[in-house]
Amino acid sequence: MTDTDAGCHRNDRDDAARWLIALLARLPGLGPRSARRAALHLLKRRDALMIPLADAISETARTIKTCTVCGTLDSSDPCRICSDETRAHGPICIVEQVGDLWAIERTGSFHGRYHVLGGTLSALEGVGPEALGVPRLLARLKEGGVSEVILALNATLDGQTTAYYLTEVLADSGVKLTRLAHGVPVGGELDYLDDGTLMAAFSARRSVETP
Amino acid sequence: MTDTDAGCHRNDRDDAARWLIALLARLPGLGPRSARRAALHLLKRRDALMIPLADAISETARTIKTCTVCGTLDSSDPCRICSDETRAHGPICIVEQVGDLWAIERTGSFHGRYHVLGGTLSALEGVGPEALGVPRLLARLKEGGVSEVILALNATLDGQTTAYYLTEVLADSGVKLTRLAHGVPVGGELDYLDDGTLMAAFSARRSVETP
């Protein structure tokens, strides 16, 4: 920490604190400045936070696996969702990333199973159907018992391109295909909405129950 | 990760990922949502980032000590600044926190030594002169060789109260006392400055060299 660019060298392993700051700065949401703040925060809470955090990272790196059935990350394989017999076997919800699965789980509104693609189709980056586990998904459908495939992909260009591809692939499977509704976000103000969302909300308008 | 509030339980150590997220969320600059993103980012980069980060945190926690001379954090005690014979012995720069020392070191504009208070005086929180290492500072001054004490405390109410206290304590020490200049930040626009800074910049105005 003695020269003019403390915390900026990325390969300077002779200084433990600088190395720590460089690694922390690679986390999403932390830049060089906030990584320094985080490192100081840790150093001031050595026993309460710093050592438990090192243990948690090691422990998680050691124990978390990718579920060979659905592709999510969990401490067991098959994951606890796939092996949970109380969850419905009929619906499979297709998501792009593990974080999307976590988001849906937090809502508590879905009690089926998942298929995590791990990304979207991308010709430029060479991501094809195999990389997204599409053959694995088709094998799951062939095993039978699946009543519905819910396309819960991001409403982005990449997400919707992938959803369109999956729609074509799954068209002949005889399984009901659904997608998440587009519309005004709960709490959203019309004035701040983009045109696409507003148009989608209009065209998908629903009749109001009258007493 | 299977129930409705994945990533929110703070004491749930049976789930390594959830424990990791709870600890990451305690870092400054990360909330529950960004802690989840950071955890997923780590899990996807197990060998390149996750395991090195765990090692760096453990290593730093193990090796970093508080310098018994100036109070900064470093891998050696006395720290590399205090034991650097090429640095001037005359000036001592008083800062609140280790992060302030790092910020000054990054500028490369100071080649003396430091005294890290570790906070500011606070009657409410029971922080007195002893907790800030003021007796240790006075002992350093008595040893001789100190020509100037630079008060580089934050320009906040707490920082300036502490600076005022130190001014009184050091008045009889025979050492030159200085403080950082107040004024317009470099690149700052007058229209966005607070009144206090603008007033300080006016009263400390300097004559312009004319050719």
Side-chain angles (χ1 to χ4, degrees), chain A residues 37-82:
Chain A
R37 275 180 59 216
L40 281 171
H41 187 88
L42 286 173
L43 283 163
K44 281 187 201 154
R45 291 157 187 83
R46 203 172 302 209
D47 295 324
L49 182 57
M50 193 168 191
I51 292 167
L53 180 61
D55 293 345
I57 296 174
S58 305
E59 170 81 3
T60 311
R62 198 175 54 74
T63 58
I64 298 288
K65 312 171 203 18
T66 300
C67 174
T68 47
V69 179
C70 74
T72 193
L73 295 164
D74 199 12
S75 49
S76 56
D77 176 26
C79 72
R80 282 171 290 177
I81 293 176
C82 286

Side-chain angles (χ1 to χ4, degrees), chain B residues 31-198:
Chain B
R33 185 178 292 263
S34 46
R36 280 194 297 270
R37 275 180 60 217
L40 280 171
H41 187 88
L42 286 173
L43 282 163
K44 280 186 201 156
R45 291 156 188 84
R46 204 173 301 209
D47 295 324
L49 182 57
M50 193 167 190
I51 293 169
L53 179 61
D55 292 346
I57 297 174
S58 303
E59 170 79 3
T60 312
R62 199 175 53 75
T63 57
I64 298 288
K65 314 172 202 17
T66 299
C67 173
T68 46
V69 179
C70 75
T72 193
L73 295 164
D74 198 10
S75 49
S76 56
D77 176 26
C79 72
R80 283 171 291 175
I81 294 177
C82 285
S83 53
D84 181 352
E85 285 302 320
T86 68
R87 294 186 75 113
H89 279 258
I92 290 186
C93 179
I94 302 188
V95 292
E96 289 178 26
Q97 302 288 356
V98 175
D100 303 330
L101 182 157
W102 290 359
I104 294 171
E105 283 297 289
R106 280 198 299 280
T107 69
S109 60
F110 178 65
H111 300 287
R113 291 157 196 227
Y114 291 90
H115 181 82
V116 181
L117 297 174
T120 50
L121 289 177
S122 170
L124 268 179
E125 292 171 27
V127 180
E130 288 75 25
L132 300 184
V134 173
R136 191 161 41 84
L137 174 66
L138 292 174
R140 283 177 81 179
L141 296 185
K142 263 188 199 143
E143 282 168 19
V146 176
S147 58
E148 179 182 0
V149 169
I150 304 163
L151 298 171
L153 305 185
N154 288 337
T156 56
L157 188 61
D158 285 350
Q160 293 308 302
T161 306
T162 306
Y164 184 76
Y165 166 79
L166 289 171
T167 308
E168 289 204 321
V169 166
L170 300 174
D172 303 330
S173 64
V175 171
K176 184 176 159 193
L177 258 182
T178 57
R179 65 160 179 81
L180 297 188
H182 294 312
V184 183
V186 176
E189 296 179 51
L190 297 194
D191 197 17
Y192 290 93
L193 275 183
D194 63 294
D195 296 351
T197 303
L198 206 49

Side-chain angles (χ1 to χ4, degrees), chain A residues 21 23 25 32 47 60 73 80 98 105 112 115 117 119 151 190 195:
Chain A
I21 291 168
L23 289 171
D47 295 324
T60 311
L73 295 164
R80 282 171 290 177
V98 176
E105 283 296 288
H115 182 82
L117 297 174
L151 298 171
L190 297 194
D195 294 352

Side-chain angles (χ1 to χ4, degrees), chain A residues 130-194:
Chain A
E130 289 75 26
L132 299 184
V134 173
R136 191 160 41 86
L137 173 65
L138 293 174
R140 283 178 80 179
L141 296 185
K142 264 188 197 139
E143 283 170 19
V146 176
S147 58
E148 179 182 359
V149 169
I150 305 163
L151 298 171
L153 304 186
N154 288 337
T156 56
L157 187 62
D158 285 350
Q160 294 307 301
T161 306
T162 307
Y164 183 76
Y165 166 80
L166 289 171
T167 308
E168 289 202 321
V169 167
L170 300 175
D172 303 331
S173 65
V175 171
K176 182 176 159 196
L177 258 182
T178 57
R179 65 160 179 81
L180 297 189
H182 293 311
V184 184
V186 176
E189 294 179 54
L190 297 194
D191 196 17
Y192 290 94
L193 275 183
D194 63 295

